[in-house]
Amino acid sequence: MTTADTELQPRRKGLTRRQKRSLSRGVQYVVFVAAVITFAVAADWGRLRNQFAQWDIAKQMFPDVITLALRNTVLYTLSGFVVGLALGMVIALMRLSSVGPYRWLAGVYIEIFRGLPALLIFIFIGVAVPLAFPGTEIIGGTYGKVALALGLVAAAYMAETIRAGIQAVPKGQLEAARSLGFSPARAMISIIIPQAFRIILPPLTNELVLLFKDSSLVLFLGVTLEERELSKYGRDLASTTANSTPILVAGLCYLLVTIPLGFVVRRMEAKAREAVK
């Protein structure tokens, strides 16, 4: 082919894929910057500061917002997580059982408690249980009720996570354990479950973050002043002071826990990906 023939060939028109991607990113950046500038210019920062950033009100919340509200929130979350993890393990093993009724019961539990809002579970524990069993008190009072309500909700999600983790362990691990003389139960406890938990640790930590936020539903159980968690504490002070600063401070306290937990989850996920490579 001669040079003249090459020059006569029509040149490709349009942008390359790389150019299109660069253009798309540029447009997105421009739209984002424009939205931020518009918000910054249109917002009435003086009114926002007066309603949400009163330093005198925020200062009055310390140290109770940490030593009382945040402490209770952490206790509620950890107790619910422990109950949910224990119950979720049992349900996951029932889900994997060769006994039909066990699988059926586990499946019904998971579908019901994953489908119901957590708010309804809290109302059921706080209202329906005392009506159904007059004179019966849940061990631990409010802390026990919160642990049970959060645990029932978390168990449905954790059960599916644990089941997926157990099934992700290579079958050869169980076969090798059985060849060494392990019983099925011992092989599951000593070999399979520890490996499964290394796989599912990131999603379980995510569940802990979700439970930390769901603990705000404790207000529907009726709590005393000493049993308030962050949301209830912030709402009460906001009503007393006729200002929303306590709600903002409570939100920042949530972030003090959820952001580090999110960082831990990302680190664990990164390590899991590196281990697979």
Side-chain angles (χ1 to χ4, degrees):
M1 183 178 294
T2 63
T3 304
D5 293 334
T6 303
E7 294 176 352
L8 291 175
Q9 287 183 352
R11 295 181 179 178
R12 290 192 304 171
K13 297 181 179 180
L15 301 174
T16 64
R17 290 183 179 179
R18 177 177 295 181
Q19 290 172 332
K20 288 180 180 179
R21 286 196 297 268
S22 300
L23 179 61
S24 176
R25 283 196 297 269
V27 171
Q28 293 175 33
Y29 291 148
V30 170
V31 171
F32 175 75
V33 172
V36 171
I37 293 174
T38 302
F39 173 78
V41 171
D44 190 337
W45 293 104
R47 295 182 63 183
L48 286 174
R49 183 171 58 254
N50 289 333
Q51 186 63 26
F52 289 96
Q54 290 293 326
W55 172 245
D56 292 339
I57 296 176
K59 190 165 56 175
Q60 296 173 8
M61 299 176 65
F62 292 89
D64 287 350
V65 69
I66 301 296
T67 60
L68 176 68
L70 182 58
R71 182 203 65 188
N72 284 338
T73 301
V74 172
L75 289 176
Y76 293 148
T77 303
L78 293 179
S79 60
F81 184 80
V82 171
V83 172
L85 185 61
L87 184 57
M89 174 64 71
V90 174
I91 295 171
L93 294 176
M94 291 174 63
R95 188 79 161 163
L96 295 170
S97 173
S98 58
V99 181
Y102 286 168
R103 293 197 307 273
W104 182 81
L105 287 173
V108 170
Y109 178 92
I110 290 171
E111 293 302 324
I112 290 176
F113 283 91
R114 283 201 309 181
L116 289 175
L119 171 60
L120 295 183
I121 306 302
F122 272 81
I123 294 175
F124 177 80
I125 296 297
V127 178
V129 171
L131 290 176
F133 306 98
T136 302
E137 287 290 336
I138 296 177
I139 299 174
T142 300
Y143 293 95
K145 293 177 183 178
V146 176
L148 180 59
L150 287 177
L152 289 174
V153 175
Y157 294 93
M158 290 186 184
E160 286 295 87
T161 301
I162 294 170
R163 177 192 59 80
I166 291 174
Q167 292 180 325
V169 177
K171 293 182 178 180
Q173 296 290 319
L174 180 60
E175 295 172 355
R178 296 287 289 136
S179 67
L180 293 174
F182 283 69
S183 65
R186 186 183 174 192
M188 179 63 70
I189 295 172
S190 302
I191 305 298
I192 305 302
I193 290 178
Q195 295 186 61
F197 267 86
R198 282 197 292 270
I199 296 172
I200 64 175
L201 201 53
L204 285 182
T205 309
N206 270 327
E207 185 62 32
L208 181 62
V209 174
L210 295 176
L211 284 180
F212 187 75
K213 294 184 292 184
D214 285 343
S215 65
S216 61
L217 297 173
V218 69
L219 64 92
F220 291 98
L221 295 177
V223 295
T224 65
L225 293 177
E226 295 300 318
E227 295 171 340
R228 292 178 297 175
E229 42 69 55
L230 282 171
S231 293
K232 176 66 173 171
Y233 184 84
R235 282 185 56 189
D236 288 349
L237 284 182
S239 299
T240 303
T241 60
N243 191 276
S244 299
T245 300
I247 295 177
L248 177 63
V249 174
L252 294 175
C253 289
Y254 276 105
L255 295 179
L256 285 176
V257 177
T258 57
I259 289 178
L261 279 177
F263 175 77
V264 171
V265 171
R266 290 191 294 272
R267 290 292 300 169
M268 288 191 296
E269 290 176 345
K271 289 185 177 180
R273 287 194 296 268
E274 291 175 0
V276 173
K277 292 180 180 180

